[in-house]
Amino acid sequence: MPPTTDSGPAAVPAPTHRLLPSPAGRIHLVEQGSGPLVLLLHGFPETWYAWRHQLPVLAAAGYRAVAIDVRGYGRSSKPEAVEAYRMLDLVEDAVAVVEGLGERSAVVVGHDWGATIAAMSTLTRPDVFRAVGLLGVPYTPPGGPRPSEVFALMGGAVEGEEPGTAEGPGAERRHLPQEFYVSYFQRPGRAEAEMEPDVRGWLAGFYAALSAGTMPAPGAPDPHFVGAGGTLRERFPVGVLPSWLTERDLDVFAGEFERTGMTGALNRYRNMDRDWADLAGHAGAPITRPSLFIGGERDASLAWLTDAVKAYPETLPGLLGSHILDGCGHFVQQERPQETNRILLDWLACLPA
């Protein structure tokens, strides 16, 4: 229930923008409300603005809602070194935000890459993060095969090259039909050359390609893959925006990436093998803190990671709810804000104080 006064419902305070020190330099955040801290982490290619529908609702329900620009995005710092975007660095940023806000603990909720950052934050720093909400991307414990080797086999990368890269020394050049987008993102500058000449157009196509209602029809070329010598964008829908995205919303997202470029965001993908090594000591580890999962029924992430969801009794023993939204695509909290907000509030109300 929203907080009340003798004269009726209390007014929700306006959101406040702040910069806090972090190991990267600074983290930009948007804060609304007061009460228990709920930290919101966005995914690729987004900013704090992906949580615009959740901030006022959480604030009205009596929470201190804080959405950040993840390292490399928006007004947060963007270190030059590729290796500065490894997972444990992003966990340190999240801890720095909690401490910089004068808090001792927080509930952390993430979408897409933000879900993975939230999960790893809770796994490695359960002293700070008392519960975790995962949107879009299911939890998979660290460990298993080296990520670059897995992604190189999805759809077929360039055979003979160093796994996860586009150019390997002494590589035999034999192109297979298509390359998974994570492998495509590995070489610095390669994906940027596709995206940065028309950031707004690229983002519009990407958002449409992964959203219910505008994603390519079954049987069409999959927008998560690149054909030999091609681009991701050539598989995106053209001239249409998903229903959740207005022209103004697109202006906000595009304006940030036009200013910053795409490298900071893409560098997250370029550290997956480093993460695999860094987190080896947590291989197979469950997250025991209270947890929540919300996925889109039409999200490819859910299809790829079906086994991860089935494993939740072992990997998320503190799971309090797992929700698959019918007819929803990848951008869960933006495509279905009211449904997502209701699930989040019900879950938060069930958490221990």
Side-chain angles (χ1 to χ4, degrees), residues 254-291:
E256 289 295 85
F257 287 109
E258 286 168 349
R259 181 175 58 81
T260 65
M262 301 298 296
T263 298
L266 289 164
N267 279 345
R268 172 82 288 274
Y269 291 92
R270 295 164 183 161
N271 279 278
M272 298 179 76
D273 281 355
R274 293 185 182 95
D275 300 338
W276 178 77
D278 290 345
L279 293 163
H282 297 276
I287 293 175
T288 59
R289 290 294 195 186
S291 56

Side-chain angles (χ1 to χ4, degrees), residues 296-315:
E297 178 252 338
R298 300 192 64 193
D299 187 350
S301 298
L302 193 63
W304 297 328
L305 296 171
T306 299
D307 288 344
V309 175
K310 292 178 180 177
Y312 278 169
E314 290 76 39
T315 61

